[in-house]
Amino acid sequence: MAGRQKANVQKLRLGFFGKLLLLVLIGALGWQLHHLRAQVEAAEAQKTQLTAQVRSQQQSNDKLREAIDGGGTQSQMEEIARDELGLVAPGDRVFYDVSN
């Protein structure tokens, strides 16, 4: 009976080319893993950078929201009217550049 079990068990024999193929496949797998690890590290660095940008933008948005909710001071409203809308307060002198 022991002889029968031995006969049914087949041994896997790899020749030189089989071993070489296995070594090449293992090397390719290792290279792929190394490449993927580099991609993960780059993605984590980008995530950190983007998180900092989001935090900065949120702070800027919070400041703007506070300014909107507060209605702004009189001087802020005058500055916006002067700079962005081109309005002039009564009694102000306006100088035009006509050199062009």
Side-chain angles (χ1 to χ4, degrees):
M1 206 178 219
R4 229 184 203 179
Q5 289 177 350
K6 255 188 179 178
N8 288 338
V9 176
Q10 295 178 355
K11 292 186 178 181
L12 179 62
R13 293 185 184 180
L14 295 176
F16 173 74
F17 291 111
K19 290 178 184 178
L20 183 63
L21 178 63
L22 184 61
L23 184 63
V24 168
L25 289 174
I26 290 173
L29 181 62
W31 183 81
Q32 282 289 343
L33 288 174
H34 177 71
H35 184 67
L36 287 174
R37 185 175 184 177
Q39 286 180 337
V40 167
E41 289 174 358
E44 286 176 352
Q46 185 180 14
K47 177 186 171 191
T48 302
Q49 180 184 12
L50 291 175
T51 301
Q53 287 179 354
V54 167
R55 189 175 299 121
S56 172
Q57 190 63 43
Q58 284 176 340
Q59 289 174 350
S60 176
N61 288 348
D62 291 341
K63 287 179 184 177
L64 290 172
R65 188 172 292 113
E66 288 175 8
I68 290 170
D69 291 342
T73 63
Q74 183 68 23
S75 62
Q76 287 174 333
M77 287 188 270
E78 288 175 1
E79 183 181 342
I80 291 171
R82 201 175 304 111
D83 294 341
E84 295 182 18
L85 302 176
L87 299 178
V88 180
D92 283 350
R93 292 186 181 183
V94 179
F95 298 94
Y96 295 100
D97 185 11
V98 292
S99 62
N100 292 338

